[in-house]
Amino acid sequence: MNWSGLTVGYALSGSHCTLAEIMPQIQRFVDAGANVVPIVSNTIMTTDTRFGTSEQWQTQLKAITGNEIISTIVQAEPLGPSKLIDVLLIAPCTGNTTSRLANALTDSAVLMAAKAQMRNQRPVVLAISTNDGLGLNAANIAKLLVAKHIYFVPFGQDNPEQKPNSLVARMDLALETCEAALQGKQLQPLLIERFNYSS
C-alpha cells in the first residue's frame, strides 16, 4: 500500500511498559511515507516511570514524526472539522481508554481524536494493552468489536499463567491492521496466541 499523502493519527495512552515496543512501529509508518501526527494522553505528558521519562518519550515522538504533539482536548478537537486524519491508531490502548471509548466518555486528547474520527466515519484502530481484558473490561471490548469504524490489532493473552485476564495486541501488526481498516476490513485472525507458554 502506498502511504504517501495519507495522515496517520498515532495516539498513545499510558501503558508505559509498551512504549519502547511501539516506537519502531511509528517509524514504520514514517518509512512507508505517511504523515504521522502524534497524539498523547495526559499520563504520557506528565508521568516518569521505570520505563522512561515523559521528556524522553516526547523527544522520541517529535524526532520520529517531525510533528508537534497533540496533548489536549482543545488541540484535538479541530481534527474533526479539518478531517486531517485518514486513520487513527491508538497504540497502546489501555483498559482505561478502552472503557471510556466504549462508554462515549471524552476526557483526553486521545479520546477526543477518536470521537472526531468516528464523527467523520473514518477508521479507528485499537491496539489493546490491558490487564483486565478478560475481566471487567471484556464487556467494553465486546462493545467496541461490534461498533462501526472500529478495528483491532490482533491480540491475545500475553501471560496466561500469571495474569490470566491480561490481553495485549501484536504491536508489529499495527501497520497491516491500519491498511486493512482503510479498506473497511478487520485484519484476520483477530484472536492470536500472543506468546508461547508452557502448558
Side-chain angles (χ1 to χ4, degrees), residues 38-69:
I39 305 161
V40 303
S41 66
N42 186 59
T43 55
I44 302 294
M45 294 298 291
T46 60
T47 307
D48 297 338
T49 73
R50 62 190 172 95
F51 301 105
T53 66
S54 170
E55 183 178 359
Q56 171 192 336
W57 297 123
Q58 291 180 53
T59 300
Q60 282 195 48
L61 283 171
K62 291 177 183 178
I64 294 171
T65 66
N67 286 319
E68 290 299 313
I69 296 170

Side-chain angles (χ1 to χ4, degrees), residues 156-168 194-195 197:
Q157 291 175 276
D158 59 304
N159 191 345
E161 294 176 347
Q162 297 179 356
K163 299 191 298 179
N165 286 341
S166 182
L167 294 175
V168 178
R194 181 63 171 81
F195 291 113
Y197 58 94

Side-chain angles (χ1 to χ4, degrees), residues 7 9 79-80 83-89 111-125 149 182:
T7 296
L79 294 174
K83 297 185 178 180
L84 173 68
I85 294 174
D86 294 291
V87 57
L88 176 70
L89 169 64
L111 290 164
M112 176 55 78
K115 179 180 179 180
Q117 191 75 347
M118 289 187 288
R119 157 188 165 165
N120 292 330
Q121 298 186 18
R122 292 183 175 184
V124 176
V125 176
H149 311 298
L182 283 166

Side-chain angles (χ1 to χ4, degrees), residues 64-111:
I64 294 171
T65 66
N67 286 319
E68 290 299 313
I69 296 170
I70 293 176
S71 62
T72 68
I73 291 175
V74 172
Q75 291 171 330
E77 193 278 332
L79 294 174
S82 69
K83 297 185 178 180
L84 173 68
I85 294 174
D86 294 291
V87 57
L88 176 70
L89 169 64
I90 305 179
C93 183
T94 62
N96 189 38
T97 298
T98 301
S99 64
R100 282 168 154 69
L101 183 60
N103 291 284
L105 299 175
T106 306
D107 59 359
S108 72
V110 170
L111 290 164

